[in-house]
């Protein structure tokens, strides 16, 4: 029996671990997981790509190099091996190629958006669930959808514990050069910086965003407005700079468009770990749950007036902002530290060591 971790992208986990030891970046849970389980890391890169890799990739909406990697892994596998893949772009190729090869290792794959039309089509068309033991999802509503859609038993759903490295992202002093209030944000996925710009363009604040440069975006794309306000800046921040941005911020705003999963949660947790008040767009699932818990201030999707009012309320009421920040900070330390997520993954994967190949799938079919 061997453990395998299959990465969607050629990510250097060893370098990340070394950076964490030096305090340059936060821990990466998959790097820690690989060490705890003595797992083999697989990533794309040096695998020759065939014509069939390209054909499969086009049909599945993935990359040829991901199929080439999966094709190189399958001959190494036994039915006792346990695989964790961090996305369907590698999990689905592994399931498909194992099915073709008549192999049945134990496979856990993360599914970002199970409601996606292509994901649903591939799962049904190729019956991939017969070769995936556990579906790892962002929230319980996604798990409920997969259970109903594929007629799965509950033990084949694992809900992701969102996490952050609370040793790296932690409270600290603001920069001495700070001259006026800072509204910070970060990320590109499902973001709505148009609404943030509309809410803040004439306020006496600096809006600083950790993302690719606004100027590098096509007009109106990537969630940015066509005209960038004078008080808004977006650029690349390394991890140490991002931590300092959070520490400098008076408020961290995570504006997102309407979507069904939990984009922005990582930024929310990093900001709360630094004990900063967070304003978050209320979308279905975890974002709304955080609002209801009272650990973030929620605003409606695309509502610049409500976002502006929330920002002004927290800026004008520092005690209220501090209390919100403290509630969020306590929640992260209690529930969302990296170690908690690491232990949940270890428990899931080590429990599978004693199971026979396909046990969970057979149980569901029975």
């Amino acid at each position: 029996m061997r453990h395998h971790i299959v990465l969607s992208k050629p990510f250097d986990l060893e370098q990340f671990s070394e950076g964490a030891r030096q305090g340059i970046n936060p821990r990466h849970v998959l790097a820690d997981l690989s060490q705890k389980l003595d797992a083999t890391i697989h990533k794309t890169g040096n695998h020759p790509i065939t014509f069939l890799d390209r054909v499969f990739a086009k049909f599945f909406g993935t990359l040829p190099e991901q199929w080439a990697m999966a094709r190189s892994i399958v001959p190494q596998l036994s039915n006792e091996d346990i695989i964790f893949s961090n996305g369907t772009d590698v999990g689905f190729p592994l399931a498909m190629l194992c099915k073709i090869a008549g192999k049945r290792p134990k496979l856990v794959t993360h599914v970002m958006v199970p409601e996606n039309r292509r994901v649903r089509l591939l799962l049904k068309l190729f019956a991939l669930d017969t070769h995936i033991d556990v579906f790892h999802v962002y929230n319980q509503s996604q798990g409920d959808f997969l259970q109903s859609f594929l007629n799965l038993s509950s033990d084949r759903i694992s809900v992701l514990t969102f996490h952050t490295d609370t040793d790296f992202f932690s409270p600290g002093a603001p920069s001495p050069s700070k001259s006026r209030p800072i509204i910070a944000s970060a990320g590109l996925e499902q973001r709505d910086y148009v609404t943030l710009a509309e809410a803040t363009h004439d306020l006496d604040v600096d809006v600083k965003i950790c993302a690719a440069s606004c100027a590098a975006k096509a007009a109106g794309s990537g969630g940015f407005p066509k005209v960038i306000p004078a008080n808004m800046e977006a650029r690349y921040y390394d991890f140490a700079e991002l931590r300092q941005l959070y520490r400098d911020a008076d408020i961290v705003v995570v504006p997102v468009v309407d979507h069904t999963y939990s984009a922005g949660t990582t930024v929310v947790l990093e900001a709360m770990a630094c004990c900063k008040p967070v304003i978050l767009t209320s979308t279905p699932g975890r974002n709304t749950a955080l609002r209801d818990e009272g650990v973030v201030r929620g605003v409606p999707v695309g509502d610049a007036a409500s976002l502006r009012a929330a920002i002004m309320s927290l800026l004008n009421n520092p005690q209220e902002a501090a209390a919100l920040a403290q509630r969020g900070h306590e929640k992260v330390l209690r529930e969302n530290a990296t170690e908690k997520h690491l232990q949940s993954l270890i428990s899931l994967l080590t429990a599978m060591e004693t199971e026979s190949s396909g046990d969970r799938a057979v149980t569901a079919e029975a």
Side-chain angles (χ1 to χ4, degrees), residues 23 165-176 178 182 184 239-252 270-277:
D165 184 349
T166 54
D167 291 325
F168 183 84
F169 291 106
S170 59
S175 302
K178 178 180 173 180
I182 291 176
F239 281 109
E241 290 175 324
L242 176 59
R243 177 177 58 189
Q244 190 59 51
L245 175 61
Y246 290 138
R247 290 173 174 177
D248 289 345
D250 292 82
I251 303 168
V252 175
E270 290 169 353
M272 293 197 301
C274 293
C275 205
K276 294 297 175 175

Side-chain angles (χ1 to χ4, degrees), residues 82-239:
I82 300 169
I83 308 166
F84 180 85
S85 69
N86 69 336
T88 55
D89 47 2
V90 288
F92 282 8
L94 281 168
M96 185 70 184
L97 293 176
C98 283
K99 192 168 190 174
I100 292 171
K103 292 201 170 186
R104 192 58 178 83
K106 304 162 191 175
L107 175 60
V108 179
T109 191
H110 179 66
V111 186
M112 179 177 286
V113 190
E115 305 90 346
N116 176 274
R117 184 178 178 181
R118 190 195 294 266
V119 170
R120 291 185 285 117
L121 172 65
L122 295 171
L123 284 169
K124 283 291 191 180
L125 182 61
F126 298 109
L128 295 179
D129 59 298
T130 63
H131 280 66
I132 298 174
D133 295 84
V134 176
F135 293 87
H136 206 224
V137 294
Y138 277 123
N139 54 57
Q140 190 58 54
S141 63
Q142 290 183 329
D144 293 342
F145 170 81
L146 279 174
Q147 275 191 260
S148 175
F149 181 65
L150 297 173
N151 191 28
L152 303 176
S153 59
S154 60
D155 65 346
R156 296 185 63 191
I157 300 296
S158 173
V159 178
L160 173 68
T161 304
F162 278 91
H163 63 96
T164 193
D165 184 349
T166 54
D167 291 325
F168 183 84
F169 291 106
S170 59
S175 302
S177 59
K178 178 180 173 180
S179 59
R180 63 177 179 171
I182 291 176
I183 309 301
S185 192
L188 288 172
E189 186 179 19
Q190 302 290 345
R191 294 305 195 268
D192 179 15
Y193 294 124
V194 174
T195 298
L196 178 59
E198 185 180 348
T200 59
H201 72 280
D202 59 350
L203 298 181
D204 186 24
V205 298
D206 289 318
V207 180
K208 298 189 176 185
I209 302 169
C210 172
S213 167
C214 301
K217 302 289 175 185
S221 70
F224 285 97
K226 293 180 180 180
V227 178
I228 306 301
N231 66 344
M232 176 180 277
E233 171 194 78
R235 67 174 179 85
Y236 168 78
Y237 287 70
D238 64 28
F239 281 109

Side-chain angles (χ1 to χ4, degrees), residues 37-67:
L37 298 179
D38 192 24
T40 301
I41 302 293
H42 302 274
K43 54 188 177 181
T44 57
N46 299 320
H47 312 288
I49 296 172
T50 67
F51 173 74
L52 282 178
D53 294 331
R54 298 185 188 280
V55 171
F56 274 123
K58 186 172 184 178
F59 188 83
F60 275 70
T62 55
L63 299 174
E65 50 265 40
Q66 293 166 334
W67 282 87

